């Protein structure tokens, strides 16, 4: 087995230990080179992505071909993407309508699991506690937990602030994903931080979401969601997202 494949297999074992899983969906691994120009233009280009073909049920994990050289930090991305694979398998299961509905939840969930990996958590059963001023090693650099939690909100603000937002469907979808990543990181702080203050300025994301929807998400996206809550969120997300597609004509 080559180095990057054994690194990904090691991540899979650690991921299953973290969540107490006894099995994990079958997936294919694909490799990519990171494009700095894409990253500069869009302001984001992740080290990895997961793709689910809802017609065949096939999962593909695409990662940067040198991701193993990043050590522990690179595992944060893989944990995020593994969560998408798990959620697509569990909640979409070849249903195209559910594929859209699941997008918000799975970004919330993947951000939670990625954050736990950043914190060095080995099992969700262990005690977790941190301060917002603690420093952490992340795929975006060494930073305070406060900055880590604020990062997706600031990125969403930047994307929404662009002229002619959203220029295309992908930008709208990615922006929604980043917003749910923010709520995922926020939820971990609400659960485990000693000194989190929930007072971020969400006025920019309220422009596409509306104040009412944003308020709903702030109260609903707390902790670990039950299957029933995930289903309710899925319906909410699908209606909200399709309304945005119509409103912005993308
Ligand atoms: Zn994601």
């Amino acid at each position: 087995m080559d180095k990057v494949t054994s690194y990904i297999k090691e991540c899979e074992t650690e991921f299953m230990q973290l969540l107490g899983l006894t099995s994990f969906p079958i997936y294919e691994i694909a490799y990519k080179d990171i494009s700095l120009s894409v990253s500069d233009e869009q302001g984001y280009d992740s080290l990895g992505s997961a793709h689910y073909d809802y017609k065949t049920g096939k999962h593909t994990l695409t990662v940067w071909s040198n991701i193993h050289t990043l050590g522990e930090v690179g595992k944060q991305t893989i944990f995020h993407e593994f969560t998408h694979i798990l959620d697509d398998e569990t909640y979409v299961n070849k249903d195209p309508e559910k594929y859209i509905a699941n997008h918000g939840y799975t970004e919330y969930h993947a951000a939670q699991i990625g954050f736990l990996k950043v914190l060095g958590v080995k099992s969700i059963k262990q005690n977790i506690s941190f301060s917002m001023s603690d420093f952490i090693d992340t795929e975006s650099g060494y930073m305070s937990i406060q900055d880590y939690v604020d990062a997706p909100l600031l990125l969403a603000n930047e994307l929404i602030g662009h002229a002619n937002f959203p220029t295309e469907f992908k930008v709208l979808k990615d922006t929604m994903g980043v917003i749910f990543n923010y709520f995922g990181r926020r939820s971990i702080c609400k659960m485990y931080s000693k000194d989190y203050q929930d007072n971020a300025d969400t006025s920019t994301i309220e422009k596409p979401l509306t104040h009412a929807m944003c308020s709903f998400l702030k109260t609903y996206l707390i902790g670990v969601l039950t299957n029933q809550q995930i289903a309710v969120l899925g319906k909410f997300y699908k209606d909200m997202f399709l309304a945005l597609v119509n409103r912005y004509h993308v």
Side-chain angles (χ1 to χ4, degrees), residues 80-81 84 103 106-107 110-111 177 181:
H80 180 111
E81 302 309 331
H84 289 324
H103 180 234
T106 193
E107 289 299 348
N181 286 163

Side-chain angles (χ1 to χ4, degrees), residues 32 34 45-49 62-65 67 70 73-74 77 139:
K32 67 164 184 176
I34 291 179
D45 181 29
S46 70
L47 298 165
S49 59
T62 304
V63 292
W64 179 40
S65 45
I67 192 157
L70 298 174
V73 164
T77 291
E139 59 197 13

Side-chain angles (χ1 to χ4, degrees), residues 26 32 43 76 94 104 107 149 173 181 218:
I26 293 167
K32 67 164 184 176
Q76 295 163 13
K94 301 190 191 177
E107 289 299 348
V149 174
K173 188 173 178 225
N181 286 163
K218 277 180 183 172

Side-chain angles (χ1 to χ4, degrees), residues 11-28:
C11 288
E12 190 183 315
T13 306
E14 291 177 9
F15 182 83
M16 287 171 65
Q17 279 165 356
L18 174 67
L19 295 179
L21 304 175
T22 50
S23 65
F24 189 74
I26 293 167
Y27 58 96
E28 199 168 274

Side-chain angles (χ1 to χ4, degrees), residues 49-246:
S49 59
H51 176 257
Y52 181 64
D53 182 339
Y54 53 73
K55 291 195 186 94
T56 61
K58 186 183 160 189
H59 300 278
T60 308
L61 172 71
T62 304
V63 292
W64 179 40
S65 45
N66 282 316
I67 192 157
H68 59 291
T69 62
L70 298 174
E72 281 301 305
V73 164
K75 291 180 180 176
Q76 295 163 13
T77 291
I78 294 179
F79 271 50
H80 180 111
E81 302 309 331
F82 274 166
T83 312
H84 289 324
I85 291 175
L86 185 66
D87 289 343
D88 285 335
E89 181 81 11
T90 310
Y91 303 110
V92 179
N93 197 16
K94 301 190 191 177
D95 181 329
E97 299 235 340
K98 286 186 185 154
Y99 182 69
I100 305 171
N102 188 51
H103 180 234
Y105 170 68
T106 193
E107 289 299 348
Y108 171 73
H109 191 205
Q112 289 182 318
I113 302 301
F115 197 166
L116 293 179
K117 186 64 182 164
V118 169
L119 293 169
V121 176
K122 303 270 188 265
S123 161
I124 42 171
K125 289 184 184 142
Q126 78 189 63
N127 281 328
I128 306 165
S129 175
F130 59 85
S131 160
M132 299 309 289
S133 55
D134 288 348
F135 268 68
I136 45 173
D137 237 333
T138 80
E139 59 197 13
S140 313
Y142 190 62
M143 63 179 77
S144 70
I145 291 184
Q146 184 67 58
D147 285 346
Y148 179 73
V149 174
D150 290 340
L153 181 61
L154 296 179
L155 177 55
N157 289 349
E158 194 186 314
L159 290 163
I160 293 164
H162 278 169
N164 308 320
F165 166 84
T167 44
E168 53 177 333
F169 179 85
K170 188 183 180 306
V171 174
L172 181 64
K173 188 173 178 225
D174 288 351
T175 304
M176 286 301 121
V178 169
I179 290 171
F180 279 73
N181 286 163
Y182 165 68
F183 282 117
R185 289 187 186 180
R186 170 182 174 270
S187 75
I188 294 291
C189 296
K190 285 179 103 58
M191 281 188 274
Y192 305 119
S193 174
K194 295 177 275 199
D195 50 7
Y196 178 62
Q197 301 214 359
D198 186 19
N199 55 9
D201 178 0
T202 53
S203 56
T204 302
I205 62 170
E206 287 177 17
K207 285 177 200 165
L209 289 187
T210 76
H211 178 73
M213 284 188 183
C214 195
S215 299
F216 166 75
L217 292 173
K218 277 180 183 172
T219 52
Y220 204 75
L221 296 180
I222 303 284
V224 177
L225 300 192
T226 63
N227 282 343
Q228 204 212 335
Q229 287 173 317
I230 293 165
V232 170
L233 178 66
K235 187 178 181 331
F236 173 88
Y237 185 85
K238 194 177 82 179
D239 291 347
M240 179 181 80
F241 188 71
L242 295 178
L244 286 169
V245 168
N246 283 328

